[in-house]
PDB file of all heavy atoms in Angstrom:
ATOM      1  N   TYR B 697     202.208 107.405  98.552  1.00 90.00           N
ATOM      2  CA  TYR B 697     202.693 106.260  97.799  1.00 90.00           C
ATOM      3  C   TYR B 697     204.186 106.380  97.562  1.00 90.00           C
ATOM      4  O   TYR B 697     204.679 107.430  97.178  1.00 90.00           O
ATOM      5  CB  TYR B 697     201.950 106.126  96.461  1.00 90.00           C
ATOM      6  CG  TYR B 697     200.470 105.922  96.656  1.00 90.00           C
ATOM      7  CD1 TYR B 697     199.557 106.822  96.151  1.00 90.00           C
ATOM      8  CD2 TYR B 697     200.002 104.831  97.384  1.00 90.00           C
ATOM      9  CE1 TYR B 697     198.194 106.639  96.342  1.00 90.00           C
ATOM     10  CE2 TYR B 697     198.642 104.657  97.584  1.00 90.00           C
ATOM     11  CZ  TYR B 697     197.752 105.559  97.063  1.00 90.00           C
ATOM     12  OH  TYR B 697     196.413 105.387  97.265  1.00 90.00           O
ATOM     13  N   ILE B 698     204.894 105.279  97.792  1.00 91.00           N
ATOM     14  CA  ILE B 698     206.338 105.301  97.613  1.00 91.00           C
ATOM     15  C   ILE B 698     206.793 104.423  96.449  1.00 91.00           C
ATOM     16  O   ILE B 698     207.962 104.434  96.087  1.00 91.00           O
ATOM     17  CB  ILE B 698     207.074 104.859  98.903  1.00 91.00           C
ATOM     18  CG1 ILE B 698     206.652 103.450  99.318  1.00 91.00           C
ATOM     19  CG2 ILE B 698     206.825 105.858 100.016  1.00 91.00           C
ATOM     20  CD1 ILE B 698     207.445 102.875 100.467  1.00 91.00           C
ATOM     21  N   ASP B 699     205.859 103.680  95.845  1.00 95.00           N
ATOM     22  CA  ASP B 699     206.206 102.780  94.753  1.00 95.00           C
ATOM     23  C   ASP B 699     205.152 102.887  93.658  1.00 95.00           C
ATOM     24  O   ASP B 699     203.974 103.133  93.930  1.00 95.00           O
ATOM     25  CB  ASP B 699     206.288 101.340  95.255  1.00 95.00           C
ATOM     26  CG  ASP B 699     206.803 100.394  94.205  1.00 95.00           C
ATOM     27  OD1 ASP B 699     208.039 100.295  94.056  1.00 95.00           O
ATOM     28  OD2 ASP B 699     205.982  99.771  93.512  1.00 95.00           O
ATOM     29  N   GLY B 700     205.578 102.680  92.420  1.00 95.00           N
ATOM     30  CA  GLY B 700     204.684 102.756  91.283  1.00 95.00           C
ATOM     31  C   GLY B 700     203.552 101.749  91.327  1.00 95.00           C
ATOM     32  O   GLY B 700     202.465 101.996  90.798  1.00 95.00           O
ATOM     33  N   ARG B 701     203.784 100.610  91.955  1.00 96.00           N
ATOM     34  CA  ARG B 701     202.716  99.602  92.064  1.00 96.00           C
ATOM     35  C   ARG B 701     201.540 100.152  92.851  1.00 96.00           C
ATOM     36  O   ARG B 701     200.383 100.012  92.452  1.00 96.00           O
ATOM     37  CB  ARG B 701     203.281  98.350  92.728  1.00 96.00           C
ATOM     38  CG  ARG B 701     202.293  97.207  92.847  1.00 96.00           C
ATOM     39  CD  ARG B 701     202.922  96.072  93.616  1.00 96.00           C
ATOM     40  NE  ARG B 701     202.188  94.829  93.425  1.00 96.00           N
ATOM     41  CZ  ARG B 701     202.355  93.770  94.173  1.00 96.00           C
ATOM     42  NH1 ARG B 701     203.254  93.766  95.150  1.00 96.00           N
ATOM     43  NH2 ARG B 701     201.670  92.670  93.945  1.00 96.00           N
ATOM     44  N   GLU B 702     201.839 100.805  93.976  1.00 95.00           N
ATOM     45  CA  GLU B 702     200.790 101.405  94.792  1.00 95.00           C
ATOM     46  C   GLU B 702     200.070 102.503  94.015  1.00 95.00           C
ATOM     47  O   GLU B 702     198.846 102.616  94.077  1.00 95.00           O
ATOM     48  CB  GLU B 702     201.396 102.007  96.061  1.00 95.00           C
ATOM     49  CG  GLU B 702     202.046 100.998  96.966  1.00 95.00           C
ATOM     50  CD  GLU B 702     202.903 101.651  98.038  1.00 95.00           C
ATOM     51  OE1 GLU B 702     203.352 102.800  97.850  1.00 95.00           O
ATOM     52  OE2 GLU B 702     203.118 101.001  99.064  1.00 95.00           O
ATOM     53  N   LEU B 703     200.829 103.310  93.283  1.00 94.00           N
ATOM     54  CA  LEU B 703     200.244 104.388  92.489  1.00 94.00           C
ATOM     55  C   LEU B 703     199.296 103.841  91.431  1.00 94.00           C
ATOM     56  O   LEU B 703     198.173 104.330  91.274  1.00 94.00           O
ATOM     57  CB  LEU B 703     201.345 105.213  91.830  1.00 94.00           C
ATOM     58  CG  LEU B 703     200.877 106.314  90.881  1.00 94.00           C
ATOM     59  CD1 LEU B 703     200.112 107.396  91.642  1.00 94.00           C
ATOM     60  CD2 LEU B 703     202.069 106.899  90.139  1.00 94.00           C
ATOM     61  N   LEU B 704     199.718 102.812  90.705  1.00 95.00           N
ATOM     62  CA  LEU B 704     198.864 102.261  89.654  1.00 95.00           C
ATOM     63  C   LEU B 704     197.609 101.616  90.224  1.00 95.00           C
ATOM     64  O   LEU B 704     196.537 101.700  89.626  1.00 95.00           O
ATOM     65  CB  LEU B 704     199.641 101.275  88.783  1.00 95.00           C
ATOM     66  CG  LEU B 704     200.758 101.884  87.936  1.00 95.00           C
ATOM     67  CD1 LEU B 704     201.360 100.828  87.022  1.00 95.00           C
ATOM     68  CD2 LEU B 704     200.297 103.080  87.149  1.00 95.00           C
ATOM     69  N   ARG B 705     197.724 100.981  91.374  1.00 94.00           N
ATOM     70  CA  ARG B 705     196.529 100.427  92.016  1.00 94.00           C
ATOM     71  C   ARG B 705     195.541 101.547  92.342  1.00 94.00           C
ATOM     72  O   ARG B 705     194.343 101.421  92.120  1.00 94.00           O
ATOM     73  CB  ARG B 705     196.894  99.677  93.296  1.00 94.00           C
ATOM     74  CG  ARG B 705     197.447  98.311  93.062  1.00 94.00           C
ATOM     75  CD  ARG B 705     197.793  97.655  94.374  1.00 94.00           C
ATOM     76  NE  ARG B 705     198.215  96.278  94.167  1.00 94.00           N
ATOM     77  CZ  ARG B 705     198.846  95.569  95.067  1.00 94.00           C
ATOM     78  NH1 ARG B 705     199.129  96.089  96.249  1.00 94.00           N
ATOM     79  NH2 ARG B 705     199.200  94.325  94.809  1.00 94.00           N
ATOM     80  N   TYR B 706     196.057 102.633  92.879  1.00 93.00           N
ATOM     81  CA  TYR B 706     195.209 103.771  93.217  1.00 93.00           C
ATOM     82  C   TYR B 706     194.528 104.337  91.971  1.00 93.00           C
ATOM     83  O   TYR B 706     193.316 104.558  91.954  1.00 93.00           O
ATOM     84  CB  TYR B 706     196.029 104.861  93.912  1.00 93.00           C
ATOM     85  CG  TYR B 706     195.303 106.174  93.984  1.00 93.00           C
ATOM     86  CD1 TYR B 706     194.266 106.364  94.890  1.00 93.00           C
ATOM     87  CD2 TYR B 706     195.638 107.215  93.133  1.00 93.00           C
ATOM     88  CE1 TYR B 706     193.572 107.562  94.944  1.00 93.00           C
ATOM     89  CE2 TYR B 706     194.946 108.416  93.180  1.00 93.00           C
ATOM     90  CZ  TYR B 706     193.925 108.586  94.092  1.00 93.00           C
ATOM     91  OH  TYR B 706     193.241 109.766  94.123  1.00 93.00           O
ATOM     92  N   ILE B 707     195.292 104.565  90.921  1.00 93.00           N
ATOM     93  CA  ILE B 707     194.740 105.151  89.693  1.00 93.00           C
ATOM     94  C   ILE B 707     193.709 104.224  89.072  1.00 93.00           C
ATOM     95  O   ILE B 707     192.640 104.666  88.646  1.00 93.00           O
ATOM     96  CB  ILE B 707     195.857 105.517  88.711  1.00 93.00           C
ATOM     97  CG1 ILE B 707     196.640 106.701  89.285  1.00 93.00           C
ATOM     98  CG2 ILE B 707     195.307 105.836  87.328  1.00 93.00           C
ATOM     99  CD1 ILE B 707     197.886 107.056  88.536  1.00 93.00           C
ATOM    100  N   ALA B 708     194.010 102.924  89.013  1.00 92.00           N
ATOM    101  CA  ALA B 708     193.059 101.974  88.415  1.00 92.00           C
ATOM    102  C   ALA B 708     191.727 101.950  89.158  1.00 92.00           C
ATOM    103  O   ALA B 708     190.677 101.793  88.547  1.00 92.00           O
ATOM    104  CB  ALA B 708     193.665 100.578  88.378  1.00 92.00           C
ATOM    105  N   SER B 709     191.764 102.159  90.464  1.00 90.00           N
ATOM    106  CA  SER B 709     190.509 102.110  91.214  1.00 90.00           C
ATOM    107  C   SER B 709     189.828 103.474  91.311  1.00 90.00           C
ATOM    108  O   SER B 709     188.608 103.558  91.189  1.00 90.00           O
ATOM    109  CB  SER B 709     190.742 101.547  92.615  1.00 90.00           C
ATOM    110  OG  SER B 709     191.551 102.416  93.371  1.00 90.00           O
ATOM    111  N   SER B 710     190.571 104.530  91.497  1.00 87.00           N
ATOM    112  CA  SER B 710     189.930 105.816  91.763  1.00 87.00           C
ATOM    113  C   SER B 710     189.567 106.603  90.508  1.00 87.00           C
ATOM    114  O   SER B 710     188.730 107.496  90.579  1.00 87.00           O
ATOM    115  CB  SER B 710     190.813 106.672  92.663  1.00 87.00           C
ATOM    116  OG  SER B 710     191.974 107.059  91.975  1.00 87.00           O
TER     117      SER B 710
END
Side-chain angles (χ1 to χ4, degrees):
Y697 299 119
I698 59 173
D699 187 84
R701 182 185 197 194
E702 297 167 337
L703 176 65
L704 293 185
R705 282 179 175 164
Y706 166 75
I707 291 172
S709 66
S710 68

